[in-house]
Amino acid sequence: METVGQRIKRLRKQKGWTQQQLAKRVNVSPQVVSNWEREYTPLDHDDIAKLALILETKADYILFGKDDPSPPDKEKHLEVNDPRIGLAFITGGEDLSEEEVEYLKESLELFRRMKERKAKEREKNK
C-alpha cells in the first residue's frame, strides 16, 4: 500500500519536478519536502491543501490514496494564498456567506484572546 510520502513523491515526479522545485512552490525548504516523502515529519492541513492545489489533485488522494487524483472542480478551486483555504477542510470547499465568514473570524479572535489570557494566568501562577 502506497504511503502519503510515496504519493507526494510520485505526484512530484509526474510533474517532472525536483524536491527543490516543489519546495519553492509550496514555500517550504527542500529538507521539509524530503522529510514528507520519507515520512519523517507529518504534514499540517495547510501543507496538504497547498500540495493538493500545486500537484493538481485532491487532499483525500494525498492523505488516503482514495478517489481520482485529478484536480477538483475549477469552480471550487481555491488559490494557495486564498484566506479561505483552511475553511475548505471544514466546509468541503463550499462557499460561506459573508455573515458566516465574519462570525468565524470573530469566534477565532475570541478563542485566541482567551487562549492568550489563560497562558498569561499560568505564567503568573508559576
Side-chain angles (χ1 to χ4, degrees):
M1 183 175 189
E2 192 176 44
T3 67
V4 171
Q6 290 168 337
R7 275 190 291 282
I8 293 169
K9 184 176 184 175
R10 183 174 43 74
L11 290 166
R12 172 181 60 79
K13 287 188 171 203
Q14 284 176 352
K15 295 280 188 188
W17 297 339
T18 64
Q19 288 180 340
Q20 291 80 7
Q21 290 170 316
L22 178 58
K24 186 174 182 176
R25 287 173 168 86
V26 182
N27 198 27
V28 297
S29 72
Q31 184 63 45
V32 169
V33 173
S34 174
N35 287 344
W36 290 339
E37 290 182 357
R38 293 179 296 149
E39 310 241 341
Y40 286 3
T41 54
L43 291 93
D44 66 29
H45 74 280
D46 289 333
D47 294 328
I48 295 165
K50 288 177 186 178
L51 283 169
L53 290 171
I54 291 164
L55 294 171
E56 298 180 343
T57 190
K58 297 177 182 175
D60 279 351
Y61 184 75
I62 292 172
L63 293 171
F64 310 110
K66 294 182 180 180
D67 298 324
D68 180 7
S70 61
D73 294 340
K74 292 297 180 188
E75 292 102 38
K76 294 184 180 178
H77 183 80
L78 297 175
E79 294 300 319
V80 173
N81 294 325
D82 190 319
R84 300 174 298 156
I85 201 160
L87 294 175
F89 288 98
I90 297 168
T91 66
E94 296 294 322
D95 284 338
L96 298 174
S97 70
E98 287 300 316
E99 182 181 18
E100 291 170 321
V101 169
E102 287 306 311
Y103 177 80
L104 287 173
K105 285 179 182 178
E106 290 171 9
S107 297
L108 180 59
E109 182 60 33
L110 177 63
F111 171 77
R112 287 176 175 167
R113 281 185 279 166
M114 289 173 54
K115 185 177 171 185
E116 187 177 313
R117 195 174 303 140
K118 286 181 181 181
K120 286 180 182 179
E121 287 175 12
R122 278 193 295 260
E123 283 297 314
K124 279 184 182 179
N125 293 331
K126 283 187 177 181

